[in-house]
Amino acid sequence: SRQIISLHPMQQVILKLIYGEPLSTQEIELATENGLPTERINYTQTVGILGRRTGKDFLLSIIAAYEAYNLVELGRPYEHYNIGTGSPITILMLSASAMQGRVLFNEVLNTIRNSSYFKNRWKSPRHGLITFKTKEVDVQIQVGTANGGGLIGTNCHTLLCSEMAAYSNQEIVQTLTPAVATFNGKTIIFSTPGRTGGDLLYTMYAYSTSSQLSFALPTWVVNLSHSEAALRVVNPHMNG
């Protein structure tokens, strides 16, 4: 049976802000209370520093499915973007390790399987790939590791980065973003805080432009299943 996706209020606010969707009165209040903007801007880049157990991979899986939906709906995405059909258009999801990559892949796979829209529109997954049918060459969601090879040259429409703070090669993000720009696509980074403030993740977080959404939120604000008091019992020194 198919499951209805249930979101916590702040998770819904985050997704709406990324895509420039209007916020309700209650969502505007929630965003304002936590230092988030409320303007309707279709951001091309998002850097979210989020506490553990906030559902980062869950949110990225929803975004990946939504971007796949948009590409499939185009019918002829290669014609739309005026590009050759030599390689598939890719929604690329980066993980910090092979183990985390399997978790990320299963998350997006479950999202696709539970969507009635994608029934008969996708092929059996293999090797970290979920492929969707269009009237042209297929489009795909690919899950890879930031520390692995073979990603340069990907026809990357959307770049979704999970746990960038743990990447040993954070520069891969900047290497891939020009490909995303050719599609006017999105780069979205959700990560727990890093150990230092001097890495590329924090440089990108602090880089303020009108096309980038940046925010830092603790676990208990994003995921109401976890209270601040309970989390601090487990880890009194946690930041979020």
Side-chain angles (χ1 to χ4, degrees):
S1 62
R2 305 195 183 277
Q3 300 175 352
I4 297 175
I5 292 177
S6 179
L7 295 169
H8 292 284
M10 183 55 82
Q11 291 175 334
Q12 186 159 308
V13 167
I14 289 170
L15 293 177
K16 283 187 172 183
L17 285 175
I18 289 173
Y19 286 98
E21 293 297 321
L23 303 179
S24 68
T25 301
Q26 293 83 357
E27 289 169 340
I28 290 174
E29 292 176 358
L30 181 61
T32 303
E33 288 171 2
N34 290 281
L36 274 69
T38 57
E39 298 86 355
R40 293 186 63 181
I41 299 173
N42 193 10
Y43 295 99
T44 56
Q45 184 158 294
T46 298
V47 182
I49 309 296
L50 299 169
R52 299 183 186 280
R53 306 176 192 174
T54 47
K56 294 181 288 294
D57 288 354
F58 170 60
L59 290 174
L60 289 176
S61 76
I62 294 173
I63 293 169
Y66 180 62
E67 293 292 344
Y69 160 80
N70 286 331
L71 286 169
V72 171
E73 280 293 289
L74 286 175
R76 300 185 181 275
Y78 291 82
E79 182 178 300
H80 175 83
Y81 288 110
N82 194 28
I83 59 173
T85 57
S87 61
I89 296 177
T90 301
I91 299 158
L92 183 58
M93 307 181 78
L94 290 184
S95 63
S97 66
M99 181 178 294
Q100 195 232 338
R102 287 191 291 271
V103 174
L104 184 59
F105 180 73
N106 288 334
E107 192 77 68
V108 69
L109 184 59
N110 286 335
T111 300
I112 297 300
R113 280 176 172 163
N114 286 323
S115 168
S116 58
Y117 173 82
F118 288 111
K119 184 179 180 181
N120 301 323
R121 285 188 169 98
W122 64 297
K123 303 177 182 179
S124 297
R126 59 183 180 84
H127 307 303
L129 291 175
I130 303 174
T131 306
F132 304 89
K133 306 170 185 176
T134 73
K135 296 176 182 178
E136 302 172 315
V137 177
D138 297 332
V139 300
Q140 65 185 20
I141 295 174
Q142 177 181 355
V143 178
T145 62
N147 310 323
L151 299 176
I152 307 302
T154 302
N155 221 1
C156 188
H157 173 276
T158 308
L159 179 61
L160 306 176
C161 303
S162 175
E163 301 297 2
M164 182 177 167
Y167 294 0
S168 62
N169 177 25
Q170 293 189 359
E171 287 72 21
I172 188 66
V173 178
Q174 288 187 325
T175 302
L176 291 168
T177 48
V180 178
T182 64
F183 292 96
N184 195 28
K186 293 184 183 297
T187 296
I188 299 172
I189 301 163
F190 290 157
S191 180
T192 49
R195 294 185 178 180
T196 68
D199 60 10
L200 181 59
L201 171 64
Y202 283 92
T203 300
M204 294 179 70
Y205 171 77
Y207 186 66
S208 178
T209 70
S210 60
S211 61
Q212 175 171 307
L213 172 65
S214 296
F215 54 85
L217 296 168
T219 301
W220 51 88
V221 169
V222 182
N223 186 344
L224 298 182
S225 300
H226 302 285
S227 70
E228 179 179 2
L231 289 170
R232 291 201 180 279
V233 168
V234 178
N235 185 357
H237 305 292
M238 72 182 299
N239 293 321

PDB file of all heavy atoms in Angstrom, residues 135-169:
ATOM      1  N   LYS A 135      10.113  10.680 -23.343  1.00  0.00           N
ATOM      2  CA  LYS A 135       9.977  10.466 -24.780  1.00  0.00           C
ATOM      3  C   LYS A 135      11.334  10.493 -25.476  1.00  0.00           C
ATOM      4  O   LYS A 135      11.438  10.191 -26.656  1.00  0.00           O
ATOM      5  CB  LYS A 135       9.058  11.534 -25.381  1.00  0.00           C
ATOM      6  CG  LYS A 135       7.627  11.455 -24.856  1.00  0.00           C
ATOM      7  CD  LYS A 135       6.771  12.583 -25.392  1.00  0.00           C
ATOM      8  CE  LYS A 135       5.363  12.512 -24.824  1.00  0.00           C
ATOM      9  NZ  LYS A 135       4.504  13.637 -25.284  1.00  0.00           N
ATOM     10  N   GLU A 136      12.373  10.889 -24.724  1.00  0.00           N
ATOM     11  CA  GLU A 136      13.729  10.923 -25.255  1.00  0.00           C
ATOM     12  C   GLU A 136      14.585   9.937 -24.462  1.00  0.00           C
ATOM     13  O   GLU A 136      14.087   8.942 -23.953  1.00  0.00           O
ATOM     14  CB  GLU A 136      14.296  12.348 -25.145  1.00  0.00           C
ATOM     15  CG  GLU A 136      13.462  13.387 -25.880  1.00  0.00           C
ATOM     16  CD  GLU A 136      13.939  14.803 -25.604  1.00  0.00           C
ATOM     17  OE1 GLU A 136      14.210  15.126 -24.423  1.00  0.00           O
ATOM     18  OE2 GLU A 136      14.032  15.568 -26.556  1.00  0.00           O
ATOM     19  N   VAL A 137      15.886  10.234 -24.347  1.00  0.00           N
ATOM     20  CA  VAL A 137      16.770   9.446 -23.493  1.00  0.00           C
ATOM     21  C   VAL A 137      16.311   9.594 -22.046  1.00  0.00           C
ATOM     22  O   VAL A 137      15.808  10.643 -21.636  1.00  0.00           O
ATOM     23  CB  VAL A 137      18.233   9.926 -23.657  1.00  0.00           C
ATOM     24  CG1 VAL A 137      19.156   9.170 -22.710  1.00  0.00           C
ATOM     25  CG2 VAL A 137      18.675   9.732 -25.088  1.00  0.00           C
ATOM     26  N   ASP A 138      16.470   8.545 -21.247  1.00  0.00           N
ATOM     27  CA  ASP A 138      15.961   8.552 -19.881  1.00  0.00           C
ATOM     28  C   ASP A 138      16.665   9.583 -18.995  1.00  0.00           C
ATOM     29  O   ASP A 138      17.776  10.028 -19.275  1.00  0.00           O
ATOM     30  CB  ASP A 138      16.142   7.163 -19.249  1.00  0.00           C
ATOM     31  CG  ASP A 138      15.337   6.101 -19.963  1.00  0.00           C
ATOM     32  OD1 ASP A 138      14.300   6.454 -20.546  1.00  0.00           O
ATOM     33  OD2 ASP A 138      15.757   4.932 -19.951  1.00  0.00           O
ATOM     34  N   VAL A 139      15.971   9.954 -17.915  1.00  0.00           N
ATOM     35  CA  VAL A 139      16.584  10.744 -16.851  1.00  0.00           C
ATOM     36  C   VAL A 139      16.761   9.823 -15.655  1.00  0.00           C
ATOM     37  O   VAL A 139      16.117   8.773 -15.558  1.00  0.00           O
ATOM     38  CB  VAL A 139      15.723  11.966 -16.483  1.00  0.00           C
ATOM     39  CG1 VAL A 139      15.531  12.883 -17.681  1.00  0.00           C
ATOM     40  CG2 VAL A 139      14.371  11.539 -15.926  1.00  0.00           C
ATOM     41  N   GLN A 140      17.632  10.203 -14.718  1.00  0.00           N
ATOM     42  CA  GLN A 140      17.942   9.290 -13.629  1.00  0.00           C
ATOM     43  C   GLN A 140      18.263  10.024 -12.336  1.00  0.00           C
ATOM     44  O   GLN A 140      18.706  11.170 -12.345  1.00  0.00           O
ATOM     45  CB  GLN A 140      19.127   8.399 -14.008  1.00  0.00           C
ATOM     46  CG  GLN A 140      20.432   9.152 -14.208  1.00  0.00           C
ATOM     47  CD  GLN A 140      21.573   8.265 -14.695  1.00  0.00           C
ATOM     48  OE1 GLN A 140      21.356   7.183 -15.231  1.00  0.00           O
ATOM     49  NE2 GLN A 140      22.803   8.708 -14.488  1.00  0.00           N
ATOM     50  N   ILE A 141      18.007   9.325 -11.239  1.00  0.00           N
ATOM     51  CA  ILE A 141      18.526   9.715  -9.932  1.00  0.00           C
ATOM     52  C   ILE A 141      19.721   8.807  -9.660  1.00  0.00           C
ATOM     53  O   ILE A 141      19.600   7.586  -9.734  1.00  0.00           O
ATOM     54  CB  ILE A 141      17.478   9.549  -8.817  1.00  0.00           C
ATOM     55  CG1 ILE A 141      16.304  10.510  -9.018  1.00  0.00           C
ATOM     56  CG2 ILE A 141      18.111   9.786  -7.446  1.00  0.00           C
ATOM     57  CD1 ILE A 141      15.159  10.298  -8.034  1.00  0.00           C
ATOM     58  N   GLN A 142      20.855   9.407  -9.380  1.00  0.00           N
ATOM     59  CA  GLN A 142      22.060   8.643  -9.084  1.00  0.00           C
ATOM     60  C   GLN A 142      22.547   8.991  -7.690  1.00  0.00           C
ATOM     61  O   GLN A 142      22.664  10.167  -7.343  1.00  0.00           O
ATOM     62  CB  GLN A 142      23.160   8.939 -10.098  1.00  0.00           C
ATOM     63  CG  GLN A 142      24.477   8.225  -9.808  1.00  0.00           C
ATOM     64  CD  GLN A 142      25.564   8.557 -10.817  1.00  0.00           C
ATOM     65  OE1 GLN A 142      25.321   9.262 -11.795  1.00  0.00           O
ATOM     66  NE2 GLN A 142      26.760   8.049 -10.586  1.00  0.00           N
ATOM     67  N   VAL A 143      22.828   7.967  -6.890  1.00  0.00           N
ATOM     68  CA  VAL A 143      23.397   8.164  -5.558  1.00  0.00           C
ATOM     69  C   VAL A 143      24.858   7.740  -5.602  1.00  0.00           C
ATOM     70  O   VAL A 143      25.174   6.598  -5.967  1.00  0.00           O
ATOM     71  CB  VAL A 143      22.643   7.358  -4.490  1.00  0.00           C
ATOM     72  CG1 VAL A 143      23.299   7.552  -3.119  1.00  0.00           C
ATOM     73  CG2 VAL A 143      21.179   7.771  -4.431  1.00  0.00           C
ATOM     74  N   GLY A 144      25.758   8.655  -5.276  1.00  0.00           N
ATOM     75  CA  GLY A 144      27.184   8.367  -5.275  1.00  0.00           C
ATOM     76  C   GLY A 144      27.841   8.921  -4.032  1.00  0.00           C
ATOM     77  O   GLY A 144      27.226   9.667  -3.263  1.00  0.00           O
ATOM     78  N   THR A 145      29.092   8.563  -3.831  1.00  0.00           N
ATOM     79  CA  THR A 145      29.838   9.090  -2.689  1.00  0.00           C
ATOM     80  C   THR A 145      30.696  10.257  -3.140  1.00  0.00           C
ATOM     81  O   THR A 145      31.280  10.231  -4.226  1.00  0.00           O
ATOM     82  CB  THR A 145      30.726   8.009  -2.046  1.00  0.00           C
ATOM     83  OG1 THR A 145      31.689   7.558  -3.004  1.00  0.00           O
ATOM     84  CG2 THR A 145      29.896   6.838  -1.573  1.00  0.00           C
ATOM     85  N   ALA A 146      30.788  11.265  -2.303  1.00  0.00           N
ATOM     86  CA  ALA A 146      31.571  12.453  -2.635  1.00  0.00           C
ATOM     87  C   ALA A 146      33.045  12.122  -2.771  1.00  0.00           C
ATOM     88  O   ALA A 146      33.786  12.838  -3.448  1.00  0.00           O
ATOM     89  CB  ALA A 146      31.369  13.517  -1.559  1.00  0.00           C
ATOM     90  N   ASN A 147      33.480  11.042  -2.127  1.00  0.00           N
ATOM     91  CA  ASN A 147      34.888  10.676  -2.141  1.00  0.00           C
ATOM     92  C   ASN A 147      35.220   9.693  -3.260  1.00  0.00           C
ATOM     93  O   ASN A 147      36.364   9.297  -3.423  1.00  0.00           O
ATOM     94  CB  ASN A 147      35.275  10.058  -0.792  1.00  0.00           C
ATOM     95  CG  ASN A 147      34.827  10.932   0.366  1.00  0.00           C
ATOM     96  OD1 ASN A 147      34.871  12.145   0.273  1.00  0.00           O
ATOM     97  ND2 ASN A 147      34.387  10.317   1.447  1.00  0.00           N
ATOM     98  N   GLY A 148      34.197   9.293  -4.024  1.00  0.00           N
ATOM     99  CA  GLY A 148      34.416   8.341  -5.108  1.00  0.00           C
ATOM    100  C   GLY A 148      34.670   9.047  -6.429  1.00  0.00           C
ATOM    101  O   GLY A 148      34.495  10.255  -6.567  1.00  0.00           O
ATOM    102  N   GLY A 149      35.083   8.298  -7.431  1.00  0.00           N
ATOM    103  CA  GLY A 149      35.362   8.870  -8.731  1.00  0.00           C
ATOM    104  C   GLY A 149      34.187   8.697  -9.670  1.00  0.00           C
ATOM    105  O   GLY A 149      33.131   8.187  -9.308  1.00  0.00           O
ATOM    106  N   GLY A 150      34.366   9.150 -10.906  1.00  0.00           N
ATOM    107  CA  GLY A 150      33.367   8.940 -11.933  1.00  0.00           C
ATOM    108  C   GLY A 150      32.224   9.919 -11.950  1.00  0.00           C
ATOM    109  O   GLY A 150      31.255   9.719 -12.691  1.00  0.00           O
ATOM    110  N   LEU A 151      32.305  10.985 -11.152  1.00  0.00           N
ATOM    111  CA  LEU A 151      31.196  11.930 -11.091  1.00  0.00           C
ATOM    112  C   LEU A 151      31.416  13.140 -11.989  1.00  0.00           C
ATOM    113  O   LEU A 151      30.457  13.791 -12.402  1.00  0.00           O
ATOM    114  CB  LEU A 151      30.967  12.396  -9.648  1.00  0.00           C
ATOM    115  CG  LEU A 151      30.607  11.299  -8.638  1.00  0.00           C
ATOM    116  CD1 LEU A 151      30.507  11.884  -7.233  1.00  0.00           C
ATOM    117  CD2 LEU A 151      29.295  10.627  -9.030  1.00  0.00           C
ATOM    118  N   ILE A 152      32.687  13.454 -12.255  1.00  0.00           N
ATOM    119  CA  ILE A 152      32.986  14.604 -13.103  1.00  0.00           C
ATOM    120  C   ILE A 152      32.473  14.320 -14.513  1.00  0.00           C
ATOM    121  O   ILE A 152      32.666  13.252 -15.067  1.00  0.00           O
ATOM    122  CB  ILE A 152      34.506  14.877 -13.144  1.00  0.00           C
ATOM    123  CG1 ILE A 152      35.056  14.993 -11.701  1.00  0.00           C
ATOM    124  CG2 ILE A 152      34.783  16.158 -13.910  1.00  0.00           C
ATOM    125  CD1 ILE A 152      34.410  16.068 -10.883  1.00  0.00           C
ATOM    126  N   GLY A 153      31.826  15.304 -15.099  1.00  0.00           N
ATOM    127  CA  GLY A 153      31.277  15.138 -16.439  1.00  0.00           C
ATOM    128  C   GLY A 153      29.841  14.658 -16.451  1.00  0.00           C
ATOM    129  O   GLY A 153      29.251  14.486 -17.518  1.00  0.00           O
ATOM    130  N   THR A 154      29.280  14.420 -15.255  1.00  0.00           N
ATOM    131  CA  THR A 154      27.879  14.018 -15.174  1.00  0.00           C
ATOM    132  C   THR A 154      26.972  15.141 -15.689  1.00  0.00           C
ATOM    133  O   THR A 154      27.205  16.311 -15.415  1.00  0.00           O
ATOM    134  CB  THR A 154      27.509  13.695 -13.710  1.00  0.00           C
ATOM    135  OG1 THR A 154      28.354  12.667 -13.232  1.00  0.00           O
ATOM    136  CG2 THR A 154      26.071  13.248 -13.585  1.00  0.00           C
ATOM    137  N   ASN A 155      25.960  14.779 -16.427  1.00  0.00           N
ATOM    138  CA  ASN A 155      24.974  15.736 -16.929  1.00  0.00           C
ATOM    139  C   ASN A 155      24.045  16.110 -15.763  1.00  0.00           C
ATOM    140  O   ASN A 155      22.885  15.711 -15.722  1.00  0.00           O
ATOM    141  CB  ASN A 155      24.181  15.081 -18.066  1.00  0.00           C
ATOM    142  CG  ASN A 155      23.922  16.035 -19.216  1.00  0.00           C
ATOM    143  OD1 ASN A 155      24.345  17.181 -19.198  1.00  0.00           O
ATOM    144  ND2 ASN A 155      23.217  15.551 -20.225  1.00  0.00           N
ATOM    145  N   CYS A 156      24.583  16.886 -14.834  1.00  0.00           N
ATOM    146  CA  CYS A 156      23.952  17.070 -13.525  1.00  0.00           C
ATOM    147  C   CYS A 156      22.935  18.209 -13.548  1.00  0.00           C
ATOM    148  O   CYS A 156      23.293  19.380 -13.626  1.00  0.00           O
ATOM    149  CB  CYS A 156      25.032  17.333 -12.473  1.00  0.00           C
ATOM    150  SG  CYS A 156      24.411  17.341 -10.785  1.00  0.00           S
ATOM    151  N   HIS A 157      21.673  17.857 -13.438  1.00  0.00           N
ATOM    152  CA  HIS A 157      20.576  18.827 -13.421  1.00  0.00           C
ATOM    153  C   HIS A 157      20.352  19.381 -12.015  1.00  0.00           C
ATOM    154  O   HIS A 157      20.076  20.570 -11.826  1.00  0.00           O
ATOM    155  CB  HIS A 157      19.300  18.146 -13.917  1.00  0.00           C
ATOM    156  CG  HIS A 157      18.062  18.977 -13.802  1.00  0.00           C
ATOM    157  ND1 HIS A 157      17.313  19.060 -12.640  1.00  0.00           N
ATOM    158  CD2 HIS A 157      17.434  19.770 -14.717  1.00  0.00           C
ATOM    159  CE1 HIS A 157      16.298  19.859 -12.832  1.00  0.00           C
ATOM    160  NE2 HIS A 157      16.337  20.302 -14.084  1.00  0.00           N
ATOM    161  N   THR A 158      20.452  18.512 -11.015  1.00  0.00           N
ATOM    162  CA  THR A 158      20.228  18.875  -9.615  1.00  0.00           C
ATOM    163  C   THR A 158      21.285  18.179  -8.775  1.00  0.00           C
ATOM    164  O   THR A 158      21.543  16.991  -8.956  1.00  0.00           O
ATOM    165  CB  THR A 158      18.832  18.429  -9.137  1.00  0.00           C
ATOM    166  OG1 THR A 158      17.839  18.913 -10.035  1.00  0.00           O
ATOM    167  CG2 THR A 158      18.539  18.942  -7.732  1.00  0.00           C
ATOM    168  N   LEU A 159      21.897  18.908  -7.838  1.00  0.00           N
ATOM    169  CA  LEU A 159      22.911  18.341  -6.957  1.00  0.00           C
ATOM    170  C   LEU A 159      22.403  18.398  -5.524  1.00  0.00           C
ATOM    171  O   LEU A 159      22.135  19.479  -4.994  1.00  0.00           O
ATOM    172  CB  LEU A 159      24.226  19.116  -7.082  1.00  0.00           C
ATOM    173  CG  LEU A 159      25.388  18.654  -6.205  1.00  0.00           C
ATOM    174  CD1 LEU A 159      25.778  17.212  -6.514  1.00  0.00           C
ATOM    175  CD2 LEU A 159      26.589  19.584  -6.381  1.00  0.00           C
ATOM    176  N   LEU A 160      22.262  17.214  -4.917  1.00  0.00           N
ATOM    177  CA  LEU A 160      21.736  17.114  -3.553  1.00  0.00           C
ATOM    178  C   LEU A 160      22.807  16.480  -2.670  1.00  0.00           C
ATOM    179  O   LEU A 160      23.187  15.331  -2.875  1.00  0.00           O
ATOM    180  CB  LEU A 160      20.460  16.267  -3.548  1.00  0.00           C
ATOM    181  CG  LEU A 160      19.356  16.719  -4.514  1.00  0.00           C
ATOM    182  CD1 LEU A 160      18.187  15.739  -4.492  1.00  0.00           C
ATOM    183  CD2 LEU A 160      18.883  18.127  -4.178  1.00  0.00           C
ATOM    184  N   CYS A 161      23.279  17.230  -1.697  1.00  0.00           N
ATOM    185  CA  CYS A 161      24.416  16.797  -0.877  1.00  0.00           C
ATOM    186  C   CYS A 161      23.971  16.498   0.544  1.00  0.00           C
ATOM    187  O   CYS A 161      23.406  17.359   1.223  1.00  0.00           O
ATOM    188  CB  CYS A 161      25.494  17.869  -0.855  1.00  0.00           C
ATOM    189  SG  CYS A 161      26.102  18.333  -2.490  1.00  0.00           S
ATOM    190  N   SER A 162      24.261  15.287   0.998  1.00  0.00           N
ATOM    191  CA  SER A 162      23.930  14.870   2.360  1.00  0.00           C
ATOM    192  C   SER A 162      25.200  14.760   3.186  1.00  0.00           C
ATOM    193  O   SER A 162      26.175  14.127   2.767  1.00  0.00           O
ATOM    194  CB  SER A 162      23.206  13.514   2.333  1.00  0.00           C
ATOM    195  OG  SER A 162      22.973  13.038   3.637  1.00  0.00           O
ATOM    196  N   GLU A 163      25.205  15.397   4.358  1.00  0.00           N
ATOM    197  CA  GLU A 163      26.315  15.325   5.316  1.00  0.00           C
ATOM    198  C   GLU A 163      27.641  15.775   4.704  1.00  0.00           C
ATOM    199  O   GLU A 163      28.668  15.117   4.799  1.00  0.00           O
ATOM    200  CB  GLU A 163      26.437  13.910   5.883  1.00  0.00           C
ATOM    201  CG  GLU A 163      25.199  13.410   6.608  1.00  0.00           C
ATOM    202  CD  GLU A 163      24.850  14.236   7.853  1.00  0.00           C
ATOM    203  OE1 GLU A 163      25.541  15.228   8.157  1.00  0.00           O
ATOM    204  OE2 GLU A 163      23.864  13.889   8.529  1.00  0.00           O
ATOM    205  N   MET A 164      27.624  16.961   4.107  1.00  0.00           N
ATOM    206  CA  MET A 164      28.833  17.500   3.481  1.00  0.00           C
ATOM    207  C   MET A 164      29.970  17.696   4.477  1.00  0.00           C
ATOM    208  O   MET A 164      31.149  17.622   4.104  1.00  0.00           O
ATOM    209  CB  MET A 164      28.506  18.829   2.787  1.00  0.00           C
ATOM    210  CG  MET A 164      29.680  19.454   2.063  1.00  0.00           C
ATOM    211  SD  MET A 164      29.195  20.968   1.192  1.00  0.00           S
ATOM    212  CE  MET A 164      30.808  21.654   0.809  1.00  0.00           C
ATOM    213  N   ALA A 165      29.648  17.943   5.738  1.00  0.00           N
ATOM    214  CA  ALA A 165      30.689  18.134   6.744  1.00  0.00           C
ATOM    215  C   ALA A 165      31.604  16.916   6.854  1.00  0.00           C
ATOM    216  O   ALA A 165      32.758  17.034   7.265  1.00  0.00           O
ATOM    217  CB  ALA A 165      30.067  18.447   8.103  1.00  0.00           C
ATOM    218  N   ALA A 166      31.093  15.752   6.483  1.00  0.00           N
ATOM    219  CA  ALA A 166      31.873  14.519   6.582  1.00  0.00           C
ATOM    220  C   ALA A 166      32.596  14.163   5.281  1.00  0.00           C
ATOM    221  O   ALA A 166      33.283  13.146   5.225  1.00  0.00           O
ATOM    222  CB  ALA A 166      30.968  13.363   7.002  1.00  0.00           C
ATOM    223  N   TYR A 167      32.455  14.985   4.234  1.00  0.00           N
ATOM    224  CA  TYR A 167      33.151  14.706   2.979  1.00  0.00           C
ATOM    225  C   TYR A 167      34.653  14.924   3.175  1.00  0.00           C
ATOM    226  O   TYR A 167      35.061  15.977   3.686  1.00  0.00           O
ATOM    227  CB  TYR A 167      32.692  15.636   1.851  1.00  0.00           C
ATOM    228  CG  TYR A 167      31.270  15.485   1.381  1.00  0.00           C
ATOM    229  CD1 TYR A 167      30.406  14.550   1.935  1.00  0.00           C
ATOM    230  CD2 TYR A 167      30.775  16.293   0.368  1.00  0.00           C
ATOM    231  CE1 TYR A 167      29.096  14.434   1.494  1.00  0.00           C
ATOM    232  CE2 TYR A 167      29.472  16.181  -0.086  1.00  0.00           C
ATOM    233  CZ  TYR A 167      28.638  15.255   0.485  1.00  0.00           C
ATOM    234  OH  TYR A 167      27.336  15.145   0.049  1.00  0.00           O
ATOM    235  N   SER A 168      35.466  13.996   2.741  1.00  0.00           N
ATOM    236  CA  SER A 168      36.914  14.232   2.735  1.00  0.00           C
ATOM    237  C   SER A 168      37.300  15.088   1.536  1.00  0.00           C
ATOM    238  O   SER A 168      38.365  15.707   1.515  1.00  0.00           O
ATOM    239  CB  SER A 168      37.676  12.901   2.701  1.00  0.00           C
ATOM    240  OG  SER A 168      37.383  12.171   1.523  1.00  0.00           O
ATOM    241  N   ASN A 169      36.422  15.135   0.542  1.00  0.00           N
ATOM    242  CA  ASN A 169      36.647  15.951  -0.650  1.00  0.00           C
ATOM    243  C   ASN A 169      35.456  16.884  -0.840  1.00  0.00           C
ATOM    244  O   ASN A 169      34.609  16.667  -1.699  1.00  0.00           O
ATOM    245  CB  ASN A 169      36.845  15.057  -1.874  1.00  0.00           C
ATOM    246  CG  ASN A 169      37.010  15.847  -3.159  1.00  0.00           C
ATOM    247  OD1 ASN A 169      37.428  17.007  -3.133  1.00  0.00           O
ATOM    248  ND2 ASN A 169      36.672  15.239  -4.281  1.00  0.00           N
TER     249      ASN A 169
END
